[in-house]
């Protein structure tokens, strides 16, 4: 999995998840936002993925 260069608003995490899952990036962002409303440290997961998941290489395109 890579962070998306094309479908990025903040860090490309949701765009990368969308590419990996074969879903529209907007849907993943909405689901992430809704899950963020549930008590818990989901923002910590986002920041961890921002740090740990590499950005997609130039010219790379998910299948």
């Amino acid at each position: 999995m890579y962070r998306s260069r094309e479908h990025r608003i903040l860090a490309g995490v949701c765009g990368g998840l969308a590419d990996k899952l074969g879903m529209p990036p907007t849907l993943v962002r909405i689901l992430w936002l809704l899950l963020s409303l549930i008590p818990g440290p989901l923002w910590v997961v986002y920041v961890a993925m921002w740090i740990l998941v590499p950005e997609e290489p130039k010219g790379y395109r998910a299948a």
Side-chain angles (χ1 to χ4, degrees), residues 28-40:
V28 173
R29 288 184 189 105
I30 291 169
L31 291 173
W32 193 276
L33 180 64
L34 291 175
L35 287 173
S36 295
L37 298 175
I38 298 171

Side-chain angles (χ1 to χ4, degrees), residues 1-61:
M1 182 182 142
Y2 294 110
R3 290 184 293 121
S4 177
R5 287 180 184 267
E6 183 181 342
H7 303 291
R8 145 181 286 173
I9 288 182
L10 184 59
V13 173
C14 289
L17 281 172
D19 285 342
K20 181 72 174 174
L21 299 174
M23 298 171 64
T26 304
L27 179 61
V28 173
R29 288 184 189 105
I30 291 169
L31 291 173
W32 193 276
L33 180 64
L34 291 175
L35 287 173
S36 295
L37 298 175
I38 298 171
L42 192 60
W43 63 273
V44 174
V45 174
Y46 188 90
V47 171
M49 289 181 74
W50 187 348
I51 294 168
L52 297 173
V53 176
E55 189 170 56
E56 70 183 6
K58 292 186 181 193
Y60 174 83
R61 198 59 248 149

